[in-house]
Amino acid sequence: MAITVENNVFSLETENTLYQMKADAFGVLNHLWYGAKTGCCMDYLLDYPDVGFAGNIYEAGDLRTYSLNTLPLEYAAAGTGDFRIPAVSVTHEDGSSALDLRFKEYHIKKGKYGIPGLPAVYADENEAETLEIMLKDTASETEVILLYGVFSQADVITRSVIVKNRGNSPIVINRVHSLCLDMPYGDWEWIHFHGRHTMERQAERTSLIHGIQESSSTRGTSSHQQNPAVLLCERGCTETQGFCIGAALMYSGGFQTQVEKDQLDQVRVVMGINPDTFAWTLEAGGSFYAPEVILSCSGHGMGELSHHFHDIIRNHVCRGKYKLAKRPVLINNWEATYFDFDDKKIEKIAKQASELGIDMMVLDDGWFGKRDSDTSGLGDWFVNEEKIRGGLKSLVERINKMGMKFGIWFEPEMVSEDSGLFQKHPEWAIRIPGRNPMRSRYQLVLDMSNTEVVEYLYQVISKILKENNIEYVKWDMNRSICDWYTETLPKHRQMEMPHRYVLGLYELLERLTGEFPDVLFEGCSGGGGRFDAGMLYYCPQIWCSDDTDAHERTFIQYGTSFFYPISAVGSHVSAVPNHQTGRSTSIQTRGTVAMAGSFGYELDLNKLSSEEKAEIAAQVSVYKEYQSLIYNGLYYRLSNPHDDNMSVWAFVSEKKADVLVQGVVFRAASNTLRRRIRLSGLDTVAKYQNVKNGYVYTGQALMSGGILLPEIKGDDVSVEIHLKKIEL
Ligand code: DGJ
């Protein structure tokens, strides 16, 4: 049994971890522990200091040391004496906002709970167990149901929350975080992932300051600027040693992660929908479902923690035919042509690609409506026969005849003012009556909270997918959202719209991915502006960044790798000088970096020299040889590009028999030693042979002494070492 309950102590055990909480004599649910399995009740760690200005619940009588403000709480509510960041806050009909949550009942169920309308980690009945704990505010009859999914094998716990209004009048939910985690002891640092368009998910590790630190988005998407994932590490925690906890929110809209270090040095983490762009009126009898958080911890460093997340996301979040299958190597025409193409140009690129072993041609932006630049056409999802002569079907057939699959780009959530759709339905674009809307990339956003919009998009997109042999869809989204207002809601409910937008998006994705399970959907938002576990439920890969520069990509892919599996990372070789940075790197370096993901090309192959084409043909076959190791092996970060002069990583097969070390050394240096890199995750007593030069090492030597990288001449030089375990 993964879940046990004894004397009101709830223990959630996975293979290596214990999560524990206790409903105390007052019915307050205390958080006791999240960490290594201890084999005992951790309530002896609870302390009751007499802290000035800490209030006491009424039933505590003269017990002035019993305070919600100092105890570790499992789910903290606002307004009743815990002055730290709350996980939940509501406004009642009378205008008051106290919520006094006390334990009422619990249920244990086989299998994993689901969440209506939202993506959630899934499992067979025997793979997971569910615990539901009901807390109640008796005065208002508000129930808060805490949901826990326990994945023993994976060392993962999921959390979600349902708020139920059992009273007679509506309440307004002002915030409802999916995670609340109190950590009264420990010297913690946090890692969050900040960035910008073309430079997403830059890992930043800092000490905690007293007070609140935050990583969040109010952009309507999870965003390029912050990512809904966070790591808490004990000081000194490395890739291979030390304790750390990770949390990733399965949500693609505005989110908030807050970490508070309080007056007693206790730490609280909350994570969920961003309350700055959220409020929800819950009618009497209604329920609200919060998105899910995936939680894991490791006593063996951040590498192992990443493995837990890669495993759960790949096996229990991603879905569809391509969930575990090898993805086709693709060629995308965006950086090759931008809007300047016709069917002949596309055919020519595809022809050349097919000769180099590439599997799929992806037709990017510009194939529909009046779309010769980014100023017009969005919303008109009908092929532009002036560019694609003979129509889409004919082009797809011509490409298929070359032995290639065909994929296509959509940006369903957007509309150009210069489009047929906008002419017909200006009211479908998000804007506030009486104000001009914000334009971004000249475009407006469709109101995805409106069921008519979702239905229209479903009809036009499914028609194209039904009529043509399309095996891949790139689902793009190229701006942040503001001007929140919808005609479909009364004025006092307008703050529901950002969340309803995400629900509409998920509904559309669910319908389309359900109806076309053999189509590979790749998520995209100007690159990686919506790279989150929510989108990965519908799209098993996401275009990682619009920055295709191999040097910068190593930083982006380094940050992305903390939570998201390598198969999820869409990654392409593009032309030099690179279109984003102007930097020129070798075709080998570009290939090595793009191979650490779901691989493809994004350049005009016809403009390359015969040597470069030969190199590409070789890369495609090397990638196909390693693809299974790259997807299914354990991924190890062997250096930190922010601190080291290189970015090096490795894939180690499940049985530790096959090892692929790849990376880029950034700057050459004269008169110095060769660089050394220590490997991870090998079989210590086994012998490993370098496939290229036949040299043999023990696993222990490779992990302790490391391996010398080849002598490097020049900047941004790639390295690749393939080792195989040998029986001697
Ligand atoms: C942004 C994407 O990230 C690019 O790859 C490309 O599809 C453009 N949009 C097209 O507008």
Side-chain angles (χ1 to χ4, degrees):
M1 279 287 277
I3 302 170
T4 50
V5 185
E6 213 178 315
N7 300 327
N8 279 347
V9 175
F10 299 86
S11 299
L12 280 47
E13 285 192 280
T14 68
E15 198 91 350
N16 299 293
T17 71
L18 169 68
Y19 188 104
Q20 209 173 54
M21 52 207 144
K22 176 183 180 176
D24 69 14
F26 298 112
V28 170
L29 191 61
N30 292 188
H31 178 77
L32 297 183
W33 183 249
Y34 187 36
K37 272 183 168 173
T38 59
C40 72
C41 178
M42 302 301 286
D43 61 352
Y44 68 88
L45 286 175
L46 292 177
D47 198 13
Y48 300 89
D50 188 358
V51 175
F53 285 79
N56 319 113
I57 58 172
Y58 205 78
E59 306 94 294
D62 292 340
L63 207 58
R64 57 176 278 160
T65 58
Y66 185 95
S67 176
L68 298 185
N69 198 209
T70 55
L71 279 169
L73 300 179
E74 184 59 21
Y75 198 69
T80 42
D82 177 2
F83 299 98
R84 294 167 289 181
I85 32 175
V88 61
S89 107
V90 303
T91 305
H92 302 290
E93 183 74 343
D94 64 3
S96 67
S97 59
L99 206 55
D100 186 5
L101 295 178
R102 304 295 174 95
F103 171 72
K104 286 295 161 216
E105 59 183 49
Y106 72 91
H107 301 280
I108 298 174
K109 297 177 180 164
K110 269 190 101 176
K112 164 70 180 28
Y113 62 88
I115 311 176
L118 285 167
V121 182
Y122 61 87
D124 290 344
E125 236 190 43
N126 295 323
E127 287 176 315
E129 280 177 40
T130 292
L131 170 67
E132 289 179 11
I133 298 185
M134 196 234 278
L135 308 176
K136 189 165 184 168
D137 175 55
T138 308
S140 69
E141 297 279 322
T142 304
E143 291 174 2
V144 171
I145 297 167
L146 306 180
L147 299 172
Y148 300 82
V150 184
F151 290 76
S152 291
Q153 292 290 317
D155 277 329
V156 161
I157 288 171
T158 62
R159 289 186 58 174
S160 185
V161 177
I162 309 171
V163 181
K164 288 190 177 174
N165 181 357
R166 300 281 195 198
N168 297 322
S169 39
I171 58 171
V172 178
I173 306 172
N174 302 310
R175 72 155 63 198
V176 52
H177 279 314
S178 308
L179 173 73
C180 176
L181 187 64
D182 275 3
M183 303 185 293
Y185 296 98
D187 184 4
W188 299 98
E189 295 171 332
W190 75 314
I191 302 180
H192 71 114
F193 302 89
H194 70 98
R196 59 184 184 274
H197 177 224
T198 72
M199 205 60 188
E200 300 87 340
R201 291 173 296 287
Q202 300 301 295
E204 187 166 62
R205 177 171 179 165
T206 61
S207 302
L208 298 182
I209 53 160
H210 285 95
I212 298 171
Q213 33 258 290
E214 177 170 324
S215 160
S216 60
S217 159
T218 53
R219 293 169 178 267
T221 59
S222 44
S223 89
H224 300 86
Q225 288 72 13
Q226 302 279 357
N227 192 263
V230 70
L231 259 125
L232 272 293
C233 317
E234 284 201 314
R235 192 175 297 283
C237 175
T238 66
E239 285 290 341
T240 51
Q241 283 171 14
F243 183 73
C244 52
I245 297 175
L249 184 67
M250 270 184 96
Y251 191 62
S252 311
F255 75 94
Q256 183 187 62
T257 305
Q258 288 184 326
V259 183
E260 179 173 7
K261 186 168 172 178
D262 76 3
Q263 56 181 339
L264 307 179
D265 293 344
Q266 305 187 102
V267 170
R268 170 172 294 168
V269 185
V270 295
M271 182 184 240
I273 296 175
N274 195 329
D276 290 347
T277 45
F278 172 85
W280 194 274
T281 301
L282 196 59
E283 301 295 343
S287 299
F288 180 84
Y289 298 85
E292 179 153 285
V293 159
I294 309 173
L295 197 60
S296 189
C297 67
S298 166
H300 302 107
M302 298 179 292
E304 185 176 90
L305 186 71
S306 294
H307 297 159
H308 296 168
F309 279 93
H310 293 183
D311 172 33
I312 200 86
I313 292 177
R314 189 155 150 74
N315 293 301
H316 297 277
V317 171
C318 295
R319 300 177 300 165
K321 174 179 155 185
Y322 283 102
K323 165 182 162 171
L324 299 177
K326 290 182 181 173
R327 319 274 162 74
V329 174
L330 64 84
I331 173 97
N332 177 303
N333 73 300
W334 179 243
E335 285 199 17
T337 66
Y338 296 102
F339 293 106
D340 180 20
F341 63 84
D342 61 12
D343 57 311
K344 288 288 164 241
K345 219 183 213 180
I346 298 301
E347 230 182 316
K348 214 169 148 214
I349 294 174
K351 181 87 189 46
Q352 181 59 79
S354 70
E355 287 164 12
L356 300 178
I358 293 172
D359 306 306
M360 180 161 73
M361 176 75 225
V362 174
L363 180 57
D364 211 278
D365 194 355
W367 58 269
F368 52 90
K370 194 178 93 186
R371 184 76 171 165
D372 295 321
S373 72
D374 51 14
T375 58
S376 61
L378 290 173
D380 295 342
W381 302 110
F382 314 103
V383 70
N384 178 337
E385 294 212 19
E386 279 169 32
K387 281 166 109 171
I388 310 293
R389 282 156 302 201
L392 197 53
K393 200 171 174 55
S394 147
L395 177 63
V396 176
E397 281 168 4
R398 279 178 275 156
I399 304 277
N400 286 166
K401 272 204 192 107
M402 297 172 194
M404 292 189 90
K405 298 176 192 298
F406 186 86
I408 202 159
W409 179 96
F410 286 97
E411 193 177 358
E413 300 151 71
M414 296 294 146
V415 64
S416 306
E417 285 159 280
D418 187 0
S419 70
L421 182 67
F422 188 76
Q423 298 275 304
K424 205 164 156 204
H425 284 294
E427 78 285 6
W428 282 0
I430 297 177
R431 62 183 301 175
I432 303 170
R435 291 177 191 271
N436 286 325
M438 181 188 86
R439 296 164 92 216
S440 181
R441 207 193 184 198
Y442 313 103
Q443 61 202 52
L444 302 182
V445 188
L446 288 173
D447 179 357
M448 297 295 288
S449 72
N450 182 342
T451 49
E452 280 179 33
V453 172
V454 171
E455 182 59 30
Y456 166 79
L457 291 171
Y458 168 75
Q459 293 299 342
V460 281
I461 296 171
S462 61
K463 187 167 186 293
I464 290 172
L465 298 186
K466 270 183 214 146
E467 288 174 356
N468 301 283
N469 186 25
I470 289 171
E471 298 181 72
Y472 162 107
V473 165
K474 180 172 171 187
W475 188 292
D476 206 348
M477 198 287 188
N478 283 303
R479 57 162 285 184
S480 303
I481 314 174
C482 58
D483 303 311
W484 292 108
Y485 180 87
T486 175
E487 289 186 348
T488 61
L489 289 172
K491 64 177 178 205
H492 70 283
R493 302 189 71 147
Q494 288 296 325
M495 287 289 280
E496 293 176 19
M497 194 201 172
H499 181 56
R500 288 187 184 274
Y501 178 99
V502 179
L503 294 177
L505 167 69
Y506 286 157
E507 188 195 324
L508 180 58
L509 280 164
E510 183 66 31
R511 284 174 78 180
L512 289 168
T513 53
E515 187 168 342
F516 302 98
D518 292 344
V519 173
L520 170 59
F521 282 76
E522 174 157 1
C524 177
S525 176
R530 204 161 54 183
F531 205 123
D532 55 67
M535 282 311 280
L536 287 169
Y537 187 68
Y538 307 97
C539 310
Q541 70 188 54
I542 298 176
W543 178 226
C544 185
S545 178
D546 271 350
D547 187 345
T548 55
D549 172 74
H551 175 85
E552 296 214 320
R553 264 292 182 126
T554 62
F555 292 80
I556 299 166
Q557 292 178 191
Y558 171 81
T560 306
S561 76
F562 278 86
F563 285 90
Y564 306 109
I566 304 309
S567 57
V569 175
S571 193
H572 301 168
V573 172
S574 64
V576 284
N578 178 266
H579 294 192
Q580 294 78 44
T581 61
R583 183 183 283 114
S584 288
T585 51
S586 72
I587 187 85
Q588 288 79 9
T589 297
R590 282 173 278 152
T592 299
V593 173
M595 279 192 207
S598 278
F599 186 58
Y601 289 85
E602 188 154 336
L603 72 176
D604 190 345
L605 297 167
N606 298 297
K607 292 187 177 151
L608 301 184
S609 67
S610 47
E611 291 75 33
E612 284 170 315
K613 285 182 198 169
E615 176 61 27
I616 287 180
Q619 282 176 355
V620 173
S621 85
V622 166
Y623 181 72
K624 288 182 180 176
E625 184 194 328
Y626 289 139
Q627 198 168 5
S628 165
L629 175 59
I630 290 171
Y631 280 16
N632 303 319
L634 290 179
Y635 177 84
Y636 290 91
R637 291 174 292 272
L638 301 181
S639 75
N640 176 349
H642 298 278
D643 296 339
D644 305 328
N645 184 27
M646 58 189 161
S647 182
V648 183
W649 58 90
F651 301 95
V652 178
S653 68
E654 215 188 335
K655 296 208 165 112
K656 305 181 178 195
D658 213 4
V659 182
L660 177 64
V661 181
Q662 294 179 318
V664 179
V665 178
F666 299 145
R667 307 274 299 166
S670 67
N671 270 335
T672 185
L673 291 173
R674 281 158 62 192
R675 279 152 185 99
R676 177 187 70 151
I677 199 91
R678 286 197 180 104
L679 306 199
S680 273
L682 306 186
D683 187 343
T684 46
V685 292
K687 297 226 164 96
Y688 289 87
Q689 184 167 40
N690 184 327
V691 173
K692 201 165 166 197
N693 62 20
Y695 208 93
V696 175
Y697 321 77
T698 61
Q700 188 64 64
L702 290 165
M703 292 199 290
S704 306
I707 194 166
L708 291 181
L709 299 183
E711 197 185 340
I712 302 299
K713 289 267 184 249
D715 291 345
D716 291 316
V717 174
S718 66
V719 289
E720 191 172 292
I721 300 167
H722 187 194
L723 299 155
K724 272 189 182 288
K725 199 197 250 192
I726 48 167
E727 312 301 337
L728 285 183

